[in-house]
Amino acid sequence: MTAIAFHASHEQIHPRELLAAVVHAEQVGFDAAMCSDHFAPWSERQGHSGFAWSWLGSALQATGLSFGVVNAPGQRYHPAIIAQAIGTLAAMYPGRFWAALGSGEAANEHITGDAWPRKDVRNARLRECVDVIRALLAGEEVSHDGLVRVDRAKLWSRPEQPPALVGAAVSVATARWCAEWADGLITVNAPTDHLRRMIDAYRDAGGRGPVHLQVHLSWAPAQAEAEAIAYDQWRSNVFAPPVCWDLATPEHFDVVSAEVPMARLAEVVNISADLGRHVGWLEEYVDLGFDQIALHHVGQDQRPFLDTFADQVLPKLRP
């Protein structure tokens, strides 16, 4: 059975309110949770960006849910520090934590003052980070000289069973590449044909473990309200790579998205007041074989979405 998770968006919601939302998500029947890990939002209207790793400790303690996080090691985060963060959470909450690793976005990584590398270099750097993190979680002392440098690092507090390191991808080519090293795959909602090709590419290349999907959606009792919420909060997030990878600040995202048409937004967010349409979209994703689907309502008020979907959508997705 596909697990239905709640996606906690740090970029849009104060961390205290976000903690209350994930506690409520468990209470109303969501199966799991995951969160983002950004230094900045994609829009000044979103207005937040709490530190994911502090929040995850609180969220794991406050609930019994399993949690994932999408992280980009290599520039803003040294891989040894990410290995320590992963290892500590997995040791404290065995079997309840996984981390997805990706090559990152300039909006978060430029803060170090280092140059933002081209995509092939970022992928190579990520691959080195994965090897460093795995070795540290396995208890090895690690020294490494490459795109990242590590000197005699060792983790002293580790989980008995290392958690899954999942590959983050939005393209078929990246999904195929993730199969070389990942314990699973995560992507975001897209046309079903594209999602099917991604899953097939990952599996055909030998990819193991669960496949996860993050679904951006906007729901409200009235269609105009659902559209207004999506347009206010998520029109800055419609740009395909490499644009979304390379813009540096929320101001940049706001400037380039000032004239985004609603039709373009509807290509990346499932927008409807009709709960039946949301059920239909989600049933298509379930039929593709995703093991976990994380629902991200792009509004800042999560309680109406959580209550309504728990009551009228989740039951239709379960046998």
Side-chain angles (χ1 to χ4, degrees):
M1 184 177 72
T2 302
I4 305 300
F6 168 64
H7 176 75
S9 179
H10 285 288
E11 297 76 30
Q12 298 176 270
I13 302 169
H14 188 286
R16 185 172 56 248
E17 296 175 8
L18 200 59
L19 183 62
V22 78
V23 168
H24 190 66
E26 180 181 38
Q27 291 170 344
V28 297
F30 280 73
D31 301 312
M34 64 170 288
C35 76
S36 50
D37 177 10
H38 277 224
F39 194 84
W42 290 279
S43 168
E44 292 184 3
R45 293 181 307 278
Q46 292 172 347
H48 289 281
S49 206
F51 186 53
W53 297 93
S54 301
W55 184 88
L56 279 163
S58 293
L60 282 157
Q61 181 64 28
T63 72
L65 298 174
S66 64
F67 278 80
V69 63
V70 183
N71 172 262
Q75 186 160 330
R76 177 172 47 123
Y77 290 118
H78 191 279
I81 297 302
I82 290 304
Q84 187 181 30
I86 291 171
T88 297
L89 289 177
M92 293 179 70
Y93 305 101
R96 292 177 52 202
F97 181 69
W98 53 272
L101 304 177
S103 58
E105 299 178 6
N108 304 303
E109 311 307 323
H110 77 88
I111 63 167
T112 65
D114 296 326
W116 178 236
R118 63 183 185 269
K119 177 60 173 172
D120 62 317
V121 176
R122 301 201 303 272
N123 279 357
R125 181 173 68 183
L126 172 60
R127 190 67 181 81
E128 291 183 19
C129 289
V130 170
D131 289 343
V132 167
I133 292 168
R134 283 202 189 281
L136 288 169
L137 289 170
E140 300 175 23
E141 181 180 277
V142 177
S143 294
H144 178 82
D145 293 292
L147 293 169
V148 293
R149 300 186 66 188
V150 186
D151 179 42
R152 294 166 292 178
K154 182 177 179 177
L155 291 186
W156 295 91
S157 295
R158 297 181 294 111
E160 292 185 9
Q161 185 69 34
L165 301 182
V166 174
V170 294
S171 71
V172 171
T174 302
R176 185 178 298 112
W177 174 71
C178 287
E180 299 175 10
W181 58 266
D183 300 318
L185 183 73
I186 187 168
T187 189
V188 297
N189 59 300
T192 54
D193 286 347
H194 177 75
L195 294 175
R196 185 179 294 109
R197 290 195 299 272
M198 288 191 66
I199 294 173
D200 289 347
Y202 180 71
R203 295 299 190 201
D204 291 348
R208 62 188 185 273
V211 287
H212 300 255
L213 179 67
Q214 180 187 354
V215 175
H216 303 304
L217 66 94
S218 182
W219 171 84
Q223 182 66 23
E225 184 182 0
E227 292 175 357
I229 288 170
Y231 198 75
D232 177 69
Q233 285 292 295
W234 214 248
R235 70 177 183 268
S236 56
N237 294 64
V238 303
F239 303 104
V243 174
C244 61
W245 291 337
D246 292 339
L247 295 178
T249 69
E251 181 184 11
H252 291 169
F253 280 93
D254 282 337
V255 169
V256 300
S257 63
E259 304 298 330
V260 168
M262 180 60 70
R264 177 70 184 98
L265 183 59
E267 294 175 6
V268 299
V269 182
N270 293 343
I271 307 170
S272 184
D274 182 349
L275 292 171
R277 289 202 68 193
H278 287 285
V279 170
W281 282 318
L282 294 171
E283 285 177 336
E284 289 183 354
Y285 304 142
V286 169
D287 289 344
L288 288 173
F290 284 101
D291 298 283
Q292 178 172 299
I293 298 175
L295 306 187
H296 171 213
H297 170 53
V298 300
Q300 292 178 303
D301 184 2
Q302 295 293 306
R303 183 64 70 97
F305 151 71
L306 289 169
D307 288 340
T308 302
F309 271 61
D311 182 54
Q312 299 184 53
V313 175
L314 269 58
K316 293 181 171 61
L317 304 175
R318 292 166 173 158

